[in-house]
Amino acid sequence: MRESISNSGIDPNRIDRRARSVLGRLRSAGYDAWIVGGAVRDLLLGRRPKDFDVATDALPEEICSVFARARIVGRRFKIVHVVHGRHVTEVSTYRTSHDKDQAKVASSFEELRGQARVVSTDGVILRDNAWGNQQEDALRRDFTINAFYYDPFNDDLIDFCSGYADLRSRSLRLIGNPEARFIEDPVRILRALRISAKLGLSIERHTASAMRTCKDMIEKVSPRRKYDECVKLLMNGHAEKSWNLAEDFGLIDLLFPTSSPRDSTLIHKALQNTDHRVSDNRPVTFAFLLSVVYFSGYQLALERQDESESFDLRHTQAGNDALNELRGAMAIPRYASMFVRDVWALQSRLESCKRAQKTLALERFRAGYDLLHLRAETGSVDSALHDWWQAFQESSGVSQPPNVRKRRYARTSYRRTGTR
Ligand code: ATP
Ligand code: MG
């Protein structure tokens, strides 16, 4: 089972110097320590790793005693952050595979206290802090290609799960029984989408079929973790591919539920745009994508409002209606929902061209303008309007407003007939 791969092709010099130093210090203190996870996988694929994670047999408290600046983080999954300046190396202690029979079943928060291994009544892992050896640690990881251990000092690569063969055949395979592993942590379904999209790997047949069977378990993931995973899924430079995969697996309705028809053309434009920005190293905002995904819901909600009310009131109410649908699926941080509301409110200001100078000075002008741009590209708003705002910015606000045919604000091409 334990296979040592010689001539792996990894250049030991590509291991981050801080991760290397963490390894060296732990080993000098008498512990076992290896580079694990995505970094080894990425190096084997000739890609630059995002981060370098370390696994060790030292317990969290023991890790902390080796480093002057280290702190234990996480409760569900305790790890240690070793800090060097502004950089953090994540160090995790070897764990055993999750044995359901040995785990405590908890139905309330109180029952979690002081327990190393706890599952919910649905079988979802709530605490995963039962320590083990290196082989057990490999088996509790998610995919075979994420379970390598690399030692840069001796250029030694260990593979417990036939990950090397899977990597060569470009296959993404969950370790163990896929259904059981997705049930104990449904986030692995989202990780499968992300890793497959990012690395261009095909999802192995049994893994893919279990993803379909277990997809509804996504609802059991904590709302905050779901939000964080969706950020990773769509902000990693492969948003469109990830979205398409999520759609293929029937996950979009679970992640982004809505009772309004989605404007798929607009959404795809935004996803492509996000991917281009990531590849150009320009900043991207998940909240902007949310504003696009829920824009049609917002527009329809705005149409339903009583026209005798002020725009501010109608906008607030419509924003609540649209965002509440998303809130049914995940926790949205306050700054993100504020961002989304501001981008939506800007659409009517941008369409009216009134108080243009003030609009230009608004904090979210750029994001609002970006949405207007996408709408102009899909034909749901007159492109003369976008052109005018572009000229207005370039001329620092001296252009005449465009002669755009006035249309009702919320009228869009994708509205279902008979919804009023
Ligand atoms: P990335 O390039 O996005 O960092 P990664 O695979 O390194 O990808 P991390 O979230 O950094 O992802 O996790 C590090 C490692 O921890 C993974 O490679 C995997 O071995 C393990 N892991 C992470 N999440 C899970 C999970 N939900 N279940 C089992 N193992 C996991
Ligand atoms: Mg990683």
Side-chain angles (χ1 to χ4, degrees), residues 38-49:
V40 187
R41 171 200 74 206
D42 290 352
L43 288 171
L44 286 169
L45 287 168
R47 300 171 67 100
R48 180 210 284 261

Side-chain angles (χ1 to χ4, degrees), residues 93 329 368 384:
T93 303

Side-chain angles (χ1 to χ4, degrees), residues 36-39 41 50-53 90:
V36 276
R41 171 200 74 206
K50 198 176 88 218
D51 46 40
F52 289 81
D53 301 314
E90 290 193 350

